[in-house]
Amino acid sequence: MSADDATSSGPRIFVDADACPNVIKDILFRAAGRAQVEVILVANQWIRVPASRWIRSLQVTAGLDVADSEIVQRCAAGDLVVTADIPLAARVLDKGALALNPRGELYTTDTIAQRLSMRNFMDELRGAGVATGGPPTLHARDRQAFANALDRWLA
């Protein structure tokens, strides 16, 4: 069955799965069955998912932003997109979907411009050779914040 074959008529969850931490995927897998909401993992590589009518893995071709473009094309108003990719979050917000990062932060139309500016500034620093480091380790409080935000969306 393809990701286009809607299992439910309600909102769906799309996951930018290439960089999504496994612990976050596990939270989503448990929520899919419990809330009977379709979860679609989109990635450039095959992602193993549990056997469930609520969970799909969609592999797209390799390439810059191919998975992001697929998510934007498929998502609709009211859907939830799980991503740490700020430009992707901005694109899905423009379509009326919601965007949640794996640390539990809900991107909003009020905050996305500031997040894009900070991201672009950090890219410029890295381009100039400044070591900016990577994202901090995902802690238990981040997992809990994500689970809480997901529960609020599911309710």
Side-chain angles (χ1 to χ4, degrees):
M1 185 178 283
S2 76
D4 282 331
D5 299 333
T7 301
S8 65
S9 59
R12 300 172 295 176
I13 300 173
F14 289 90
V15 182
D16 183 9
D18 283 317
C20 185
N22 287 332
V23 66
I24 298 303
K25 290 177 198 166
D26 290 340
I27 291 169
L28 289 163
F29 295 157
R30 288 192 301 275
R34 183 181 77 242
Q36 296 185 346
V37 63
E38 189 172 10
V39 173
I40 303 162
L41 286 81
V42 182
N44 299 115
Q45 59 190 342
W46 181 250
I47 304 285
R48 180 183 294 264
V49 297
S52 168
R53 62 180 271 176
W54 303 106
I55 303 169
R56 310 272 178 273
S57 179
L58 177 62
Q59 183 180 5
V60 297
T61 58
L64 185 64
D65 296 330
V66 174
D68 295 358
S69 294
E70 190 70 27
I71 291 170
V72 171
Q73 177 186 338
R74 290 174 182 263
C75 77
D79 288 343
L80 178 68
V81 176
V82 177
T83 185
D85 184 317
I86 296 165
L88 172 58
R91 291 173 67 192
V92 301
L93 286 172
D94 286 343
K95 286 195 70 177
L98 298 174
L100 177 65
N101 82 15
R103 296 178 185 280
E105 179 188 354
L106 190 64
Y107 300 105
T108 68
T109 54
D110 295 334
T111 62
I112 198 67
Q114 176 187 2
R115 296 298 307 265
L116 280 168
S117 294
M118 180 57 75
R119 177 200 173 271
N120 293 339
F121 175 68
M122 297 301 282
D123 275 352
E124 288 176 21
L125 286 177
R126 285 187 290 274
V130 177
T132 59
T137 303
L138 193 70
H139 293 287
R141 67 181 172 272
D142 299 316
R143 294 189 300 270
Q144 188 61 54
F146 177 82
N148 291 343
L150 179 62
D151 284 344
R152 283 190 298 275
W153 181 79
L154 290 169

